[in-house]
C-alpha cells in the first residue's frame, strides 16, 4: 500500500500541478521518526514508502464499517500495525533513472530496541515497537488515547526505518506512510486503475480478488483486492510485491496521460487523499520536491525485489531467510547504476571481538575468514555489549577495511587504537553471518531452489507500458 497518490507522483515526476497549490504542504501529518541518521550525499535522495495493513485511521480510530466492508478487511481487528509494504526509492541527482526496491514483508532480520526480540519479520518492526512504547507510557500514567497512538506510531516508524536502514546499508532521507484505506481512496479519486493479469485469479475468502486474465480496469474495491491478494498465487507474497509495482506504474501512467493536473476536480480529490491517508517525514518540502521532479521528462524507472535465500519456519511463523551482506551489495550496485562488485581479495590480519552476537560467533567468523585467505588475529569477547557491528581500521588503511566491509556488509570507522596491518571486527547484537562465508566449504545441495523474486522491471512513465503480472 505504498504511499498512495504521493508514491505514484514520486515515481512519475508529473506533479507540476500540485506544486502550484500553496496549501499542499500544510495538509500532511508529519513525523520526526527519521532522527539524526546518515543522509545521502551529492543531491541523491532515498525515500522509504511504508504501507500499513492497519484498519485504523491516522488517529487510531477504527475505519467506518461501510469502508471496511468495501476493503474486504474484516471487522477492523485484523492487520495490526504490520508494515506490509516497504519500497525504498532511490532518486539520483541527475534523475536519469529512478530505482524502486521492494522489501518482502516476511524477510527475517536482526533488530535492536525491541525488548524480547533479536530478530523479527521486517513487517513486524513497526507494530511490536509501537505496542511496547504505548504499554510503557500507559504504565507511567498516560491515558490520552491520541497521545498514546501518536507516540506509539512515532516509535514504530523509527523502528521500521532503522530496520530497513540496517538491512540495506544505505541512508534514508525521507519517508511516506499510508494505511490500508489509502489504496482504496487513491483508486476512487482516479476513477479506477488499469492492470494486466497473466492468468485468471480467484481469492474470495481473503482478499476478495476475482479477475479474468488480461488487461482490465479495476474499480476501487477491486484495486485493493488486486494489491492485497497473495493466496492462490504461484509465488505468494512475492507475486503480491510485483502487483504493487505494477499498480504504481499504472497509477503513474494514468496521472500523466489523463490530464489530472489540469482537472481541478481530480486534483482536489488527490490532494484530499494525500492529506487524509499519508504521513510524511518532518522537513520534507513536498512542493519544492515535486516541482523539481516535474522537470524530468519520462524518467526511466526500475523496479527490483530484494533476493531471498529460502523459506523457513521460525517459532511457528513462515519467514524469508535472507543474506544481509548480499542485500547490501545488491542495493549499492542498484543505486549506483554499477554492476555488482565481486568479493575482494583478502588482505590483512583480522581481530574479532564478540560484543553481543550469538555465543561462538567470533571464533566461527575467524575460521570462516582464515579459510578464505585472511590472517587470523585475536579472537575474544567484549565485556560491553553494542547493538551495532563495526569494522575498525588504522589511519590510512581504509582500502583494506573497505574490502572486508564488502564481504561482511558492515560499516567502517577509523581508530588510532588498531594496530597497522590489522582490522578489528566488533560483532554487535545485529550481526548475521553472511551466507557466502558458510562454515562448510564443500558444495551443498540446496533443499529447494531460492524463491524467484523476478527480474528487474524497467519502464518509463510514458506511453502505455503496464506490466502484466501473476
Amino acid at each position: 500500500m505504498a504511499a498512495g497518490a504521493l508514491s505514484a507522483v514520486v515515481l512519475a515526476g508529473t506533479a507540476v500541478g500540485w506544486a502550484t497549490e500553496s496549501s499542499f504542504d500544510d495538509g500532511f501529518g508529519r513525523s520526526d521518526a527519521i532522527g539524526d541518521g546518515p543522509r545521502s550525499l551529492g543531491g541523491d535522495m532515498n525515500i522509504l514508502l511504508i504501507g500499513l495493513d492497519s484498519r485504523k485511521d491516522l488517529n487510531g480510530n477504527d475505519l467506518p464499517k461501510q469502508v471496511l466492508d468495501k476493503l474486504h478487511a474484516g471487522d477492523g481487528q485484523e492487520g495490526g500495525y504490520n508494515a506490509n509494504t516497504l519500497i525504498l526509492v532511490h532518486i539520483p541527482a541527475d534523475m536519469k533513472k529512478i530505482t524502486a526496491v521492494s522489501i518482502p514483508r516476511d524477510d527475517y532480520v536482526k533488530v535492536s530496541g525491541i525488548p524480547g526480540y533479536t530478530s523479527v519479520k521486517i513487517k513486524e518492526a513497526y507494530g511490536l515497537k509501537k505496542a511496547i512504547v504505548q504499554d510503557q507510557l500507559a504504565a507511567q500514567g498516560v491515558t490520552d488515547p491520541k497521545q498514546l497512538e501518536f507516540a506509539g506510531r512515532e516509535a514504530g516508524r523509527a523502528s521500521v526505518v532503522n530496520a530497513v536502514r540496517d538491512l540495506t546499508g544505505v541512508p534514508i532521507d525521507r519517508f511516506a506512510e499510508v494505511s490500508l484505506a489509502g489504496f482504496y481512496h487513491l483508486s476512487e479519486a482516479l476513477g479506477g486503475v488499469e492492470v494486466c493479469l497473466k492468468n485468471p485469479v480467484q481469492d474470495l475468502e481473503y482478499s476478495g480478488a476475482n479477475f479474468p486474465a488480461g488487461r482490465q480496469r479495476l474499480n476501487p474495491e477491486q484495486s485493493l483486492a488486486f494489491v492485497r491478494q497473495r493466496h492462490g498465487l504461484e509465488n505468494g507474497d512475492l507475486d503480491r510485491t510485483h502487483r504493487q509495482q505494477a499498480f504504481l506504474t499504472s497509477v503513474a501512467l494514468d496521472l500523466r496521460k489523463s490530464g489530472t493536473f489540469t482537472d481541478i476536480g481530480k486534483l482536489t480529490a488527490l490532494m484530499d487523499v494525500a492529506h487524509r491517508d499519508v504521513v510524511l517525514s518532518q522537513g520534507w518540502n513536498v512542493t519544492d520536491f515535486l516541482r523539481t521532479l516535474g522537470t524530468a521528462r519520462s524518467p526511466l524507472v526500475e523496479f527490483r525485489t530484494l533476493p531471498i535465500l529460502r523459506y523457513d519456519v521460525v517459532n511457528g511463523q513462515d519467514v524469508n531467510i535472507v543474506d544481509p551482506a548480499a542485500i547490501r551489495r545488491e542495493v549499492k550496485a542498484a543505486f549506483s547504476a554499477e554492476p555488482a562488485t565481486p568479493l575482494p581479495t583478502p588482505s590483512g590480519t583480522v581481530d574479532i571481538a564478540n560484543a553481543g552476537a550469538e555465543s561462538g560467533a567470533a571464533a566461527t567468523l575467524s575460521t570462516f575468514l582464515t579459510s578464505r585467505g585472511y590472517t587470523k588475529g585475536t579472537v575474544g569477547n567484549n565485556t560491553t555489549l553494542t547493538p551495532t557491528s563495526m569494522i575498525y581500521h588504522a589511519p590510512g588503511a581504509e582500502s583494506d577495511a573497505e574490502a572486508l566491509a564488502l564481504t561482511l556488509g558492515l560499516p567502517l570507522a577509523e581508530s588510532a587504537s588498531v594496530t597497522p596491518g590489522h582490522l578489528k571486527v566488533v560483532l554487535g547484537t545485529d550481526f548475521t553471518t553472511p551466507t557466502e562465508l558458510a562454515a562448510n566449504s564443500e558444495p551443498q545441495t540446496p533443499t529447494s531452489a531460492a524463491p524467484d523474486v523476478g527480474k528487474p522491471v524497467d519502464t518509463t512513465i510514458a506511453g502505455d507500458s503496464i506490466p502484466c503480472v501473476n
Side-chain angles (χ1 to χ4, degrees), residues 288-326:
D288 287 347
F289 171 71
L290 296 179
R291 183 181 291 115
T292 300
L293 276 185
T295 64
R297 293 181 177 273
S298 302
L300 178 65
V301 180
E302 180 182 73
F303 289 100
R304 289 174 172 257
T305 303
L306 291 185
I308 296 170
L309 291 177
R310 67 181 187 277
Y311 298 128
D312 207 339
V313 177
V314 177
N315 296 327
Q317 286 190 315
D318 294 329
V319 302
N320 303 329
I321 302 301
V322 298
D323 181 349

Side-chain angles (χ1 to χ4, degrees), residues 3-7 9 17-31 56-59 153 157 176-179 181-183 185-186 189 266-280 284-287 290:
L6 180 65
S7 63
V9 174
W18 275 6
T20 65
E21 295 289 334
S22 60
S23 61
F24 185 57
D25 263 312
D26 298 335
F28 287 101
R30 295 286 179 168
S31 168
K56 312 286 186 179
D57 64 18
L58 295 181
N59 294 316
R153 285 202 175 193
R157 291 164 186 146
E177 172 198 299
V178 69
S179 56
F183 252 117
H185 292 145
L186 171 60
K266 282 190 176 181
L267 182 59
T268 301
L270 286 172
M271 289 178 63
D272 178 64
V273 170
H275 290 162
R276 181 177 11 164
D277 296 320
V278 177
V279 173
L280 300 179
W284 188 358
N285 187 315
V286 185
T287 300
L290 296 179

Side-chain angles (χ1 to χ4, degrees), residues 351-429:
D351 304 319
I352 305 177
N354 191 333
E358 63 185 3
S359 178
T364 302
L365 181 60
S366 180
T367 300
F368 292 162
L369 296 181
T370 301
S371 70
R372 281 149 178 82
Y374 287 95
T375 301
K376 181 178 180 178
T378 61
V379 178
N381 298 318
N382 278 5
T383 56
T384 303
L385 300 183
T386 179
T388 305
S389 301
M390 187 76 69
I391 298 173
Y392 295 93
H393 62 85
E398 187 172 358
S399 59
D400 288 342
E402 287 177 343
L404 182 58
L406 188 60
T407 298
L408 298 181
L410 298 181
L412 303 176
E414 182 178 296
S415 173
S417 66
V418 176
T419 304
H422 285 239
L423 299 170
K424 182 176 181 179
V425 181
V426 176
L427 305 182
T429 57

Side-chain angles (χ1 to χ4, degrees), residues 158-337:
S159 180
V160 79
V161 165
N162 289 336
V164 172
R165 186 189 287 136
D166 291 344
L167 176 65
T168 61
V170 297
I172 296 177
D173 305 292
R174 300 284 186 263
F175 79 80
E177 172 198 299
V178 69
S179 56
L180 184 65
F183 252 117
Y184 179 89
H185 292 145
L186 171 60
S187 180
E188 188 176 46
L190 292 175
V193 175
E194 192 163 14
V195 302
C196 178
L197 284 170
K198 296 178 181 178
N199 306 295
V201 296
Q202 187 176 78
D203 175 34
L204 301 179
E205 182 178 358
Y206 296 100
S207 66
N210 185 16
F211 310 125
R215 192 156 173 162
Q216 55 207 287
R217 192 165 191 89
L218 305 183
N219 65 32
E221 187 173 350
Q222 293 171 326
S223 297
L224 189 66
F226 172 81
V227 295
R228 289 186 64 226
Q229 184 186 1
R230 61 188 176 93
H231 295 89
L233 300 182
E234 180 180 355
N235 297 302
D237 268 335
L238 295 180
D239 280 338
R240 176 160 69 172
T241 295
H242 299 150
R243 285 193 182 189
Q244 292 165 357
Q245 295 170 349
F247 180 92
L248 293 178
T249 300
S250 180
V251 169
L253 290 169
D254 207 21
L255 288 170
R256 194 173 189 91
K257 70 184 181 182
S258 67
T260 296
F261 298 107
T262 59
D263 184 324
I264 297 302
K266 282 190 176 181
L267 182 59
T268 301
L270 286 172
M271 289 178 63
D272 178 64
V273 170
H275 290 162
R276 181 177 11 164
D277 296 320
V278 177
V279 173
L280 300 179
S281 52
Q282 197 68 256
W284 188 358
N285 187 315
V286 185
T287 300
D288 287 347
F289 171 71
L290 296 179
R291 183 181 291 115
T292 300
L293 276 185
T295 64
R297 293 181 177 273
S298 302
L300 178 65
V301 180
E302 180 182 73
F303 289 100
R304 289 174 172 257
T305 303
L306 291 185
I308 296 170
L309 291 177
R310 67 181 187 277
Y311 298 128
D312 207 339
V313 177
V314 177
N315 296 327
Q317 286 190 315
D318 294 329
V319 302
N320 303 329
I321 302 301
V322 298
D323 181 349
I327 282 174
R328 287 184 173 206
R329 288 196 298 275
E330 175 157 327
V331 171
K332 181 180 180 182
F335 285 9
S336 64

Side-chain angles (χ1 to χ4, degrees), residues 41-110:
L41 302 175
D44 291 354
M45 181 178 290
N46 296 331
I47 303 170
L48 178 62
L49 308 177
I50 304 170
L52 290 185
D53 194 18
S54 172
R55 279 67 165 166
K56 312 286 186 179
D57 64 18
L58 295 181
N59 294 316
N61 301 314
D62 288 342
L63 296 173
K65 184 180 184 303
Q66 62 269 28
V67 174
L68 290 173
D69 289 343
K70 291 179 179 179
L71 300 183
H72 201 83
D75 62 3
Q77 302 307 309
E78 297 85 351
Y81 284 87
N82 286 330
N84 273 354
T85 299
L86 293 169
I87 300 179
L88 188 59
V89 181
H90 175 70
I91 303 177
D94 62 14
M95 292 189 291
K96 290 183 178 179
K97 180 181 179 180
I98 296 170
T99 303
V101 175
S102 293
I103 304 170
R105 65 175 193 162
D106 288 341
D107 283 4
Y108 197 60
V109 301
K110 294 281 188 180

